[in-house]
Amino acid sequence: TRQVNECVSRSQEVLTKELAWIDTHPDARKGPLLPHQLLAVRWLVELGKLKCGAILADQAGMGKTVTAVALLD
């Protein structure tokens, strides 16, 4: 469980960092992904670098498929 706790802690740090990045890069909002989708892709990439897994879960129609395809691209 230590590894899980570390991943949760690092995940929160990464999410905070990525939210700050989105806020300071207004041009990122003009791309093909919506801001929350771009945030999710960047979050997943960073967690992958840390060897931590993640699951995208939200309401239907929020763009999980587009986010996953962007991650694979």
Side-chain angles (χ1 to χ4, degrees), residues 16-69:
T16 299
K17 181 184 91 171
E18 295 306 324
L19 282 168
W21 185 90
I22 291 282
D23 285 343
T24 59
H25 290 80
D27 289 342
R29 296 185 181 111
K30 298 177 184 173
L33 296 175
L34 295 172
H36 69 278
Q37 294 166 329
L38 179 60
L39 174 64
V41 169
R42 291 177 58 89
W43 179 67
L44 290 169
V45 166
E46 290 300 315
L47 289 182
K49 291 177 185 176
L50 298 171
K51 305 292 188 224
C52 296
I55 297 171
L56 290 177
D58 58 27
Q59 299 171 337
M62 295 298 290
K64 291 178 295 296
T65 302
V66 170
T67 301
V69 170

